[in-house]
Amino acid sequence: MSTETGTGDAYLLYHSIGQYPGKHADMLAGLTDFTDAWAAPNGDQWADVLPKRQQFIDLWAALIGAPKGTVTTTESVTTGLMAVIGALPEGTLRGKKVLVAEDGFPSLHFLLTGLSKRFGFTLNTVPIRQGGHWVEAEDIITHWDEEVALALLTWVSSTTSHRLDIPQLVTHGRKMGSLIGVDMTQAVGLLPYDVTAPRVDFALSTSLKWMCGTPGAGIVYMDADLIPQCQPEMRGWFSQGNPFSWDLEAFEFAPDIRRLDSGTPSTVPAVASLPAMRWRMGQNTEVLAAHNRKLTAQLQAGLEGMGLTLASPADPDQRGGSLMVVLPDHIDAADVVAQLAALEIYVDNRSQTLRMSPGVLTTAAGIDRTLHALEAFLT
């Protein structure tokens, strides 16, 4: 019997954990199949589980336009970035700069700060302009010179929903001779993204948010021309072309992205996220995006009508699928989130900023409920 509760009509957390109709039943069936296979004393476990991991990988590759052999699994965007940096040719970053923006995901900044001394690079963080909410593309370009060995671009910011013009930035980065990576996480699955148009060197995501999957089901993409140059520090039996080659003196990296694998791969997150991947690949991207745009326009009109300040671009073409709004200082944002949750209206906050992201379960009536409740709290 399903344990799903509520309609989700005012579920606005797609920037965090995505939901879709029937997700509970799909996940339950998928994990039950996994349990049945893994607990059967017959020796067939890997023959059942590894193909499902590959299905997960193949669906991700299809979604982002990645050629065969260029996508593999990783626990998170952070571990994926570590895998990439640890695999780059010796000296790639030494004596150079790594460029990031202040409004990127903090976890990646924490990682890069810790790696800068070890790999000998200077971390250059492009700041948010005084009084602004996000980093402007022109400021990234101003900081991006020929000393930048690697630029990590956040396609859509998790704190503002500001969307970078990736083609513009890649064009500049190629002139500078830099490696270019993209964190796709905050919009992939809602908005179309192709890792080959423009061509980037690597890209990272989780299967959470608009992908509606589970934690631990991250992916890393690497361009086919970069893969052969990489010698990953983190390596193991699954890094080989033939994982069952156990000659200790004959280790050889796989010719494709599998060289970024290491020991026995984590499969449960991929298996648990596979139903969501199948659901997502059965949807029309334009329809999903249009639904989101209609509801964010409704939400934006109501928020602006209350006199609240957006922390997201007003132009929908300059943002992802979320709207962030700054609450007045005298309002306890965490208390507002709790009170809304009591009404089955689900948002979250970062300090005084409310984050709201309508998705496939969200309805116009749910947006109305949200706006009416917020207005009552603010008066």
Side-chain angles (χ1 to χ4, degrees), residues 119-168:
F119 286 91
F121 62 82
T122 300
L123 183 61
N124 189 349
T125 304
V126 183
I128 299 170
R129 294 179 184 180
Q130 186 173 3
H133 294 286
W134 57 82
V135 175
E136 302 287 353
E138 25 308 12
D139 292 340
I140 294 176
I141 289 173
T142 298
H143 284 75
W144 196 338
D145 58 24
E146 293 179 347
E147 292 300 307
V148 173
L150 168 65
L152 179 63
L153 305 176
T154 300
W155 182 28
V156 172
S157 168
S158 65
T159 54
T160 67
S161 197
H162 175 252
R163 180 171 17 144
L164 285 176
D165 185 339
I166 296 297
Q168 175 195 20

Side-chain angles (χ1 to χ4, degrees), residues 37-108:
W38 201 254
N42 56 18
D44 294 336
Q45 290 85 356
W46 288 117
D48 179 87
V49 172
L50 288 180
K52 289 177 179 174
R53 174 179 179 260
Q54 189 60 49
Q55 290 174 35
F56 169 82
I57 290 170
D58 291 344
L59 288 171
W60 256 109
L63 179 71
I64 61 175
K68 183 178 177 59
T70 60
V71 174
T72 192
T73 56
T74 186
E75 181 183 1
S76 66
V77 171
T78 308
T79 56
L81 180 59
M82 179 67 228
V84 170
I85 289 178
L88 292 175
E90 179 69 26
T92 296
L93 305 180
R94 190 164 300 280
K96 298 284 189 176
K97 300 176 186 175
V98 172
L99 188 69
V100 294
E102 185 181 350
D103 59 350
F105 194 58
S107 183
L108 303 181

